[in-house]
Amino acid sequence: MTSRILTTAAAATLALGLAACGSDKGNDKADGALDTITAGTLTVCSDVPYPPFEDFDKTTPTGFKGFDIDIVTAVAKELKLKLVVKDSDFNALQSGLALNSRQCDLAASAMTITPVREKKIGFSEGYYDSEQSLLVPAGSSIKSIDDLKGKSVAVQKGTTGETYANKNATGAKVTSFPSDAQMYAAIKAGQVDAILQDLPVNLDHQKDPKQPGKFTVVETYKTDETYGLAMKKSNTDLIKAVDDALATLHSSGDYQKIYDSYFATK
C-alpha cells in the first residue's frame, strides 16, 4: 500500500498536532467500555482511493466504500459503536503515528502485517490474504518480471510491492509513486512500462470500464502477505474485541458474503 515520505520536522509537527488533538479524549469512557478517541465511536483511518479495498462514495453513510470499509462497518456493528471513516496518509498509518497520537482508533487500509510494522502497531488477526502482481499494457513484450530489464516499473512508496520489485526486478528502473492513482495515471500516459502492485488492485485496473482491454495482469507472485486491521499496540482490549468481532463474522458467514461481493470469480 501507498505512503508518502514525511520530513523529520514535518513528522514531529504532525505528531505534536495529533497528540494535542487526541490527548484529552478517551479518558471519560464508561467502565467496561472500549477505549476509543470518542466515546461510542470507532474512528477508522484509511488511505483512499485504493479500490477495491477503499474508495470515495458520497452516497454511503460513511462517505466511503470498498472491501475494507464493509469489513470495519460490520466490525463496528458487532462492537455496537458508531463508525466514522477518515481519509489519511498511509505513511502515518503504517508507521503508527496516526494511531499512537490518537488521530484514529483503527487503520483499515489493505495493510500487510509485517514484523517491522508489528514493532510499532497492534494488528488484528489477518482478514485477507494477498499476492503481488505485474500489470502491463495489452500487447506489451513484457510477459514476466524477467522482461523488466531496461524497462520502467511503477511501485507505491513504502509498500511490500516496492520491496518485492527492488529485490526481484533486476535491471529495471523502479519508480516509486505516492499513490496507486498516480501509478495508474503514469501507465495510461505511457510514462512507465508496468505496475507492480497488490493483485486485487491491478485486477481492478485490468477491468477498468473506461480502459477496456488496454491493460492486463501477466504474472502474479505468492508473497504470503496477509492484511490486518491496525490499532494502537497498547490498546489490547480493542484488539481483542476486533478479533472477536472478526471471528463472529466468519462463523456467521457474513465475512464470506462481503468477500464474495468483491472477489468471487463465479
Side-chain angles (χ1 to χ4, degrees):
M1 249 301 261
T2 182
S3 70
R4 297 184 181 91
I5 295 297
L6 299 177
T7 65
T8 302
T13 301
L14 177 58
L16 289 171
L18 294 175
C21 291
S23 61
D24 60 345
K25 295 180 180 179
N27 297 323
D28 57 349
K29 71 184 183 72
D31 289 345
L34 293 170
D35 183 9
T36 56
I37 60 175
T38 300
T41 298
L42 182 67
T43 303
V44 173
C45 287
S46 188
D47 183 18
V48 187
Y50 198 71
F53 295 98
E54 33 265 337
D55 207 346
F56 300 103
D57 187 348
K58 293 181 179 179
T59 67
T60 67
T62 62
F64 299 89
K65 66 179 181 180
F67 179 72
D68 284 351
I69 304 302
D70 286 359
I71 290 294
V72 293
T73 297
V75 166
K77 184 178 179 181
E78 287 294 326
L79 300 182
K80 296 180 171 53
L81 295 173
K82 176 186 176 184
L83 177 66
V84 171
V85 180
K86 301 164 64 175
D87 183 20
S88 304
D89 178 271
F90 188 71
N91 198 49
L93 302 182
Q94 67 92 25
S95 68
L97 176 62
L99 295 164
N100 292 326
S101 60
R102 297 178 68 84
Q103 183 186 20
C104 46
D105 302 304
L106 181 151
S109 204
M111 190 185 301
T112 300
I113 302 170
T114 70
V116 172
R117 290 172 178 164
E118 283 184 306
K119 292 179 181 178
K120 302 169 288 188
I121 297 170
F123 278 104
S124 70
E125 295 292 332
Y127 68 94
Y128 182 86
D129 295 331
S130 187
E131 301 176 10
Q132 293 296 320
S133 62
L134 190 65
L135 182 83
V136 301
S140 170
S141 61
I142 300 170
K143 305 300 181 186
S144 75
I145 199 168
D146 294 334
D147 298 328
L148 287 176
K149 187 175 183 179
K151 304 289 186 180
S152 58
V153 57
V155 298
Q156 284 187 264
K157 186 69 179 178
T159 65
T160 49
E162 180 185 45
T163 301
Y164 189 88
N166 285 330
K167 183 177 181 180
N168 296 285
T170 306
K173 179 186 178 183
V174 179
T175 303
S176 299
F177 289 79
S179 74
D180 177 73
Q182 289 170 293
M183 294 163 61
Y184 191 42
I187 197 171
K188 287 191 290 185
Q191 296 170 345
V192 297
D193 298 305
I195 290 177
L196 201 151
Q197 177 63 284
D198 288 0
L199 176 59
V201 180
N202 269 345
L203 288 176
D204 197 79
H205 295 323
Q206 180 178 266
K207 64 182 182 182
D208 183 352
K210 296 180 181 178
Q211 304 286 330
K214 291 196 173 182
F215 299 98
T216 184
V217 173
V218 292
E219 198 169 45
T220 62
Y221 314 105
K222 292 188 179 299
T223 49
D224 297 325
E225 294 183 50
T226 300
Y227 297 164
L229 302 174
M231 288 157 277
K232 190 175 181 180
K233 197 176 181 73
S234 61
N235 199 346
T236 55
D237 287 347
L238 181 60
I239 296 171
K240 182 180 184 306
V242 169
D243 278 341
D244 290 346
L246 288 173
T248 298
L249 295 177
H250 279 288
S251 62
S252 68
D254 287 345
Y255 173 89
Q256 193 62 48
K257 291 178 183 176
I258 296 172
Y259 183 95
D260 289 345
S261 69
Y262 288 91
F263 306 116
T265 56
K266 294 182 180 179

